[in-house]
Amino acid sequence: MDRPIRVLVAKPGLDGHDRGAKVIARALRDAGMEVIYTGLRLTPDQIVQAALQEDVDVVALSILSGAHGHLLPKVVDKLKEEGIYDEVLVLGGGVIPEDDIPELKKAGVAEIFTPGTPTGVTIDFIKNNLKRSL
Amino acid sequence: MELGKRLLEGDKRAAARLISMIENDDPEAVAILSAYFSHTGNARVIGITGPPGAGKSTLVDKLAKLLRKKDAKVGVLAVDPTSPFSGGSILGDRIRMSDLNLDPGVFIRSMGTRGQLGGLSKSTLGAVKILDIMGMDYILIETVGVGQSEVDIVKAADSVLMVMVPGLGDDIQALKAGIMEIGDVFVINKADRDGADRTKTEIEMMLDFSHGDWRPPVSQAVAVNNIGIEELTDNLDKHWSFMKDSGKLIEKRVNNSELEIIDLTQSAILKKMMGNDDNRNRIRELAKKVAIRERDPYSISQMVLKEMIVGEEGGVKD
């Protein structure tokens, strides 16, 4: 069935820098996806409830506060609690040190995109790694 | 059908999935809505419309919170435009509603218009039914930011709330045909700005010209500061009572059902015509004859109707 990919773009935690999230939202829009943009300062619970209600394929989390080690795994855990982790691809983006990435992946974040990543790379990754068929 | 049962029990995940299925024209979802249709008609459906940036999402957030205080369950459908170029969209209405995410009595869904031009998406009516079946007492439909002629919301809602802001134009704008005619209740949001009183006067003057038993009330609000929300809900309640007591509610629902039947039949016909390659090729061949003036499009369309829809015996073709 031909349908648009639905992506939730969210900013977990306490940082007010949403330029990156907006750039990625715009790029995904131009790639034909439906982007649900949820704005700043959300808790993992809020993000997961929004993802559930919006029936999204992807949760893309932008974070520049340094709290990624805590917040990103928390989103994954809550998605599992709600029983939707098997359907939802979780991505991270922002200023995240190389050294932290393996740990995040182990926690269930599929990929991390750091500053300077061409948006096309993210788009291709999403298209090739969806957990449920279109 | 198991999805339908879960929906009836109020399961949010079932609702979320069914809305996606309806958006993607999944026949299973249509069958479920058809089977559970008798469970609809209980929710009060309120449309919220107005120009981009008028504060519709913020008002929806505040209205929903007030309704929650009265212990009502609230469903929100927030429509934003789909790009006609990429097919993508940015659905940003949730930004103003993030406090509601965790409320068990609230369900919010963002929808892209996906090619529909009237301010809603093709699946909005289906999504309303889904929220109705899951037991929502109120369903708030937020349209895309409208210009002058996106009036589809009248076909979907029991009451239409028109959100205006000061300073959008002179009184002639208020006189024009189109969206100004569909408001059952008016609110001037951002009323702390210059010109709010004048805008109110202009709208009142415009309404002075209209006839009918219902005179739309006009109030002011500053949604972001939660000012004017109670007066607004009072006005919406007044309209609801008027609709029920005057018999207009059932009349409106008959009208809306009529339009929906026509709409669904129209899309079924179109699907029958265009959903198969033989028919498409046949139309293409006929088009060539029309292009060189061998045939005219009027008689051809009659022929197409007979060939593809009606069938030789006069019955509907399979």
Side-chain angles (χ1 to χ4, degrees), chain B residues 12-311:
Chain B
K12 287 188 179 180
R13 221 180 130 194
R17 179 54 47 84
L18 270 165
I19 293 176
S20 302
M21 288 165 75
I22 279 288
E23 282 192 304
N24 301 323
D25 286 326
D26 188 322
E28 194 194 331
V30 176
I32 291 173
L33 285 196
S34 180
Y36 285 83
F37 184 72
S38 61
H39 295 281
T40 66
N42 306 313
R44 213 174 121 182
V45 185
I46 300 173
I48 292 100
T49 192
K56 295 183 292 299
S57 305
T58 309
L59 263 171
V60 167
D61 178 62
K62 300 297 189 268
L63 277 174
K65 281 176 184 153
L66 192 65
L67 294 169
R68 286 297 293 145
K69 274 192 197 147
K70 300 175 184 170
D71 231 19
K73 282 185 275 180
V74 184
V76 176
L77 298 171
V79 188
D80 263 335
T82 296
S83 162
F85 305 109
S86 71
S89 51
I90 300 227
L91 312 177
D93 294 321
R94 278 194 101 95
I95 298 174
R96 322 272 172 229
M97 308 177 195
S98 44
D99 298 347
L100 295 171
N101 281 349
L102 295 180
D103 188 329
V106 176
F107 182 95
I108 306 170
R109 180 60 173 248
S110 317
M111 305 178 85
T113 52
R114 300 197 187 176
Q116 205 76 0
L117 294 177
L120 297 179
S121 80
K122 178 168 66 75
S123 327
T124 306
L125 285 179
V128 167
K129 292 187 192 77
I130 290 166
L131 298 186
D132 203 343
I133 294 170
M134 84 184 287
M136 292 303 172
D137 300 305
Y138 286 82
I139 298 169
L140 309 179
I141 308 174
E142 180 187 339
T143 73
V144 303
V146 299
Q148 294 179 316
S149 62
E150 294 94 334
V151 297
D152 275 2
I153 188 65
V154 271
K155 298 189 233 168
D158 299 319
S159 307
V160 174
L161 168 63
M162 180 65 64
V163 185
M164 309 293 292
V165 278
L168 279 186
D170 59 13
D171 50 345
I172 300 301
Q173 294 302 330
L175 276 177
K176 286 185 182 172
I179 58 162
M180 293 301 286
E181 294 174 273
I182 64 168
D184 298 309
V185 173
F186 284 75
V187 64
I188 296 143
N189 191 31
K190 308 190 185 183
D192 51 345
R193 291 193 180 175
D194 280 351
D197 290 337
R198 199 179 139 195
T199 304
K200 185 168 189 295
T201 313
E202 283 167 0
I203 292 170
E204 296 277 15
M205 275 173 63
M206 182 268 300
L207 293 170
D208 286 342
F209 292 117
S210 41
H211 310 285
D213 309 333
W214 173 254
R215 155 82 189 214
V218 185
S219 70
Q220 297 188 335
V222 185
V224 77
N225 295 331
N226 213 10
I227 294 169
I229 308 303
E230 294 203 13
E231 188 182 359
L232 177 55
T233 40
D234 285 348
N235 286 342
L236 287 165
D237 285 345
K238 277 181 205 148
H239 183 249
W240 178 248
S241 307
F242 164 79
M243 293 292 280
K244 274 200 308 196
D245 299 344
S246 64
K248 291 252 180 334
L249 181 65
I250 188 70
E251 194 182 309
K252 186 165 171 80
R253 287 190 174 182
V254 170
N255 289 342
N256 288 354
S257 300
E258 184 178 2
L259 291 169
E260 189 176 14
I261 294 170
I262 293 169
D263 243 24
L264 288 171
T265 313
Q266 212 172 355
S267 9
I269 290 174
L270 209 61
K271 204 170 159 197
K272 211 183 249 288
M273 255 177 78
M274 305 308 284
N276 109 29
D277 284 343
D278 288 350
N279 283 354
R280 297 179 94 114
N281 293 336
R282 172 86 177 128
I283 291 170
R284 182 86 192 162
E285 287 313 309
L286 293 169
K288 288 176 186 163
K289 294 193 170 132
V290 173
I292 58 169
R293 270 53 184 176
E294 196 177 292
R295 297 290 306 265
D296 73 281
Y298 306 103
S299 63
I300 290 280
S301 69
Q302 287 302 316
M303 200 172 104
V304 166
L305 197 61
K306 233 176 238 155
E307 266 183 36
M308 299 179 186
I309 310 294
V310 184

